[in-house]
Amino acid sequence: MRRIFITLIALCTLSTVSAQGWLDKLKKVATEAVDKATDGTLTQLAVIGSWEYSAPAVKLDGEDTLTSLSGSALSTTLGTKLEGAFAKVGIVPGACSVTFNSDGTFTMPIKNRNLTGTYTYNNEDHSLTMVVGQSEKALNLKGFAYISGTNLQLVFPINKLTDFLVNIGSSVSSLSTITTLIKQYENIYLGFEFAKPATE
């Protein structure tokens, strides 16, 4: 805990702190504790930049979910099924990335498509809303953003994730087994885990 406070003091003395600078600090302290101590500001700053897709993300909240069927076993099962569904639309390592710009815009290349839009982040509850496209048919995708170590997790309720995959060309049926699996549980969020490019 002492190391966390020392890090926070160091961060507060800097006039400007880059997103990469925050990520470097994360390598030495407990991510969740620092983010909580900064009221979510850590994640708000750290999401800015470019990220490469690395794996599906599964976030289980709530004691009932974590203890039922063993949280880790459920997470592994969901991750495996998501991997197959994502591959159908080109969301695989090396073919998908996302860049969040400081002006509130984002780009997300996926295979042969390049999704663009705007985003807003609420540091109080970690909610991140992405508006994909800029017409009256734009997709409003509300999820949550978390920094896990030096990786970024973007997770969504299953219905929002389904909307997103349909938007980029996936069949809803590809997620039917996942929907069946999680319908008896609350507070399960699914999505994507991103890592910083190796060159950064």
Side-chain angles (χ1 to χ4, degrees):
M1 185 62 69
R2 181 181 177 186
R3 293 172 61 194
I4 293 173
F5 288 126
I6 291 174
T7 300
L8 291 175
I9 291 171
L11 293 175
C12 290
T13 60
L14 300 177
S15 57
T16 58
V17 181
S18 68
Q20 187 59 50
W22 279 87
L23 289 172
D24 290 341
K25 300 296 183 184
L26 286 177
K27 296 177 182 178
K28 302 177 181 179
V29 295
T31 305
E32 291 185 8
V34 174
D35 193 69
K36 183 177 180 179
T38 59
D39 294 325
T41 301
L42 171 67
T43 300
Q44 184 175 14
L45 292 175
V47 296
I48 297 172
S50 296
W51 303 84
E52 293 183 347
Y53 171 76
S54 59
V58 178
K59 187 167 180 61
L60 311 176
D61 284 341
E63 184 176 345
D64 290 342
T65 302
L66 293 173
T67 56
S68 298
L69 295 182
S70 173
S72 59
L74 180 60
S75 179
T76 299
T77 299
L78 291 172
T80 300
K81 292 183 179 298
L82 281 174
E83 193 171 27
F86 290 171
K88 292 181 179 180
V89 293
I91 301 178
V92 295
C96 175
S97 62
V98 64
T99 297
F100 291 104
N101 301 306
S102 58
D103 64 357
T105 61
F106 76 89
T107 58
M108 190 174 185
I110 300 176
K111 203 172 182 179
N112 298 321
R113 297 191 60 180
N114 187 33
L115 306 181
T116 61
T118 60
Y119 75 95
T120 55
Y121 175 78
N122 185 332
N123 61 354
E124 293 183 2
D125 63 0
H126 281 257
S127 62
L128 185 143
T129 301
M130 302 169 68
V131 180
V132 183
Q134 300 182 7
S135 68
E136 64 278 0
K137 296 182 179 180
L139 175 65
N140 193 303
L141 188 66
K142 182 177 180 179
F144 299 89
Y146 301 94
I147 298 296
S148 176
T150 55
N151 287 357
L152 168 66
Q153 292 182 334
L154 295 181
V155 293
F156 308 90
I158 184 65
N159 63 315
K160 289 296 183 180
L161 181 63
T162 300
D163 290 345
F164 177 72
L165 294 179
V166 169
N167 183 266
I168 58 177
S170 175
S171 169
V172 177
S173 62
S174 65
L175 293 176
S176 60
T177 55
I178 299 176
T179 303
T180 300
L181 182 62
I182 69 173
K183 66 181 181 180
Q184 58 185 311
Y185 302 102
E186 295 181 354
N187 302 321
I188 296 182
Y189 301 94
L190 310 173
F192 319 99
E193 181 155 328
F194 296 89
K196 276 293 180 182
T199 56
E200 293 191 13

